[in-house]
Amino acid sequence: MTDSQSASGQTASRLMGCLLGGALGDALGAPAEGIRTLEGVTSKFGKAGLSKMHPYTCPWETVSHTGIGAVTDDTTMHAATLGAMMAAAHRPEQLHQYAWQGYVRWAIQQEDGLRILPLVDLTVDWPRELHPFWFACGAGRGTIAALATGKAGSIEQPLQYDTVIREKRVVGPNSGCGGMMRTPVLAFWPHVFDKFRLGMENGALTHGAADAYLATGCVTELTHGVVQGLSLPQAFNRMSARLVAEPLHEATLAACSYGWQAGTGEPTLEAIDAVPRALGYKNAFLALPVMGQVAFALSASHHHGLSFKQTLTLAVSHSGDSDSVGAIVGNVLGAACGEQGLPQDWVKQIQLAPQLQALGHHAVKRLSL
């Protein structure tokens, strides 16, 4: 085997690890989403938190997949991003337009998504391996509201809207974490070196608040760092250095720094649960509380030598956005350790693992990774 073949095989393993690792965090954390207190989480799943896969049922809408190993919008939107990368393989300048169309195509399956149906571009040749991820999966209201505007947002022109989704008023620009959990795979996009900017631009398609698109850039760059072989501290430091070059970075840097430093202390469920409040947020589902908890879990993993399972258990066992934090942490750790470094007994429990593997294998060939 040549050095180039070895490097290619390692990249393919990291891509698959990123996809499957995120799905593991998503499926592990989904049953806790919607439980608004840590006491509620531990009373249902035990004092150790979610240390094994539990059955999932979406608490706020009807979804297509339930039970143990079911994935949600975190995994399906991540798959949509990879599908866009494949569709844009020979027209890289069109990546963001394909991504927006990919999210539109995904969104029509969601509750209140039929309003988006006229926006679908039927000429896009989506890879057939992406089709299994087009199903109702508990989409965020803000993402649906942003897509329903019929426009692709940008950093320069963030989307403004005031609408009702699933009987609740939603106002943009969006400051949620819905961009962060769909972009780790952009770390593998071969046509753009500045993955931080690439992530920001993707986030701004739907999430126009600076906190949201900056945190999305952070996630993409952090993943890129470990894909390149950096340790978690090295990748975190490089990400932070890149972040400070952007306007309005102060709050995002504070969330990242606080989470990382807090993770050096005792890695308890109480400690990660307290991160959003320590940052001054009552809504733990916004981008910066999620970013703080992601940083906490990754820092704890490094400083305390936690296993993959232990890290994901910590990442999802709290009263915040359990599956999104778990998915992002799983994406990063999976990209670092590769497919073979994942706990295979958990991988076997993911309902769409074979379909995710098929999508990843096709992407490796299509993108010549």
Side-chain angles (χ1 to χ4, degrees), residues 122-154:
L122 297 177
T123 68
V124 179
D125 183 20
W126 297 112
R128 59 180 175 81
E129 291 84 357
L130 180 61
H131 296 186
F133 300 94
W134 291 338
F135 60 84
C137 53
R141 287 185 175 89
T143 297
I144 300 299
L147 294 171
T149 65
K151 302 175 183 177
S154 67

Side-chain angles (χ1 to χ4, degrees), residues 28 38-39 41-52 54 267-270 272 309-318 346:
L28 185 68
L38 178 59
E39 291 75 16
V41 173
T42 55
S43 66
K44 183 171 183 178
F45 302 109
K47 292 184 178 180
L50 292 103
S51 56
K52 65 177 183 179
H54 291 268
T268 64
L269 305 190
E270 290 78 11
I272 193 169
K309 285 186 176 181
Q310 289 171 328
T311 304
L312 280 197
T313 293
L314 177 67
V316 304
S317 301
H318 51 79
W346 276 11

Side-chain angles (χ1 to χ4, degrees), residues 187-188 192-196 217-246 253 256 260:
F188 296 89
V192 176
F193 176 78
D194 187 355
K195 301 301 193 297
F196 193 101
C218 287
V219 168
T220 313
E221 175 58 34
L222 187 58
T223 309
H224 185 224
V226 299
V227 168
Q228 291 187 313
L230 299 182
S231 67
L232 283 173
Q234 289 171 334
F236 184 84
N237 289 336
R238 191 176 79 173
M239 175 206 77
S240 299
R242 176 63 183 82
L243 170 61
V244 299
E246 293 296 328
L253 180 64
C256 292
W260 185 267

Side-chain angles (χ1 to χ4, degrees), residues 146-233:
L147 294 171
T149 65
K151 302 175 183 177
S154 67
I155 296 169
E156 295 75 20
Q157 294 184 309
L159 291 177
Q160 306 282 344
Y161 52 83
D162 187 343
T163 187
V164 174
I165 301 293
R166 300 201 303 269
E167 301 180 349
K168 184 175 180 179
R169 185 185 180 198
V170 186
V171 180
N174 195 328
S175 56
C177 69
M180 300 164 64
M181 48 75 159
R182 71 188 187 216
T183 61
V185 75
L186 288 176
F188 296 89
W189 182 240
H191 303 287
V192 176
F193 176 78
D194 187 355
K195 301 301 193 297
F196 193 101
R197 179 75 187 187
L198 187 67
M200 284 200 306
E201 290 171 344
N202 180 285
L205 291 174
T206 53
H207 290 65
D211 291 350
Y213 65 69
L214 286 170
T216 304
C218 287
V219 168
T220 313
E221 175 58 34
L222 187 58
T223 309
H224 185 224
V226 299
V227 168
Q228 291 187 313
L230 299 182
S231 67
L232 283 173

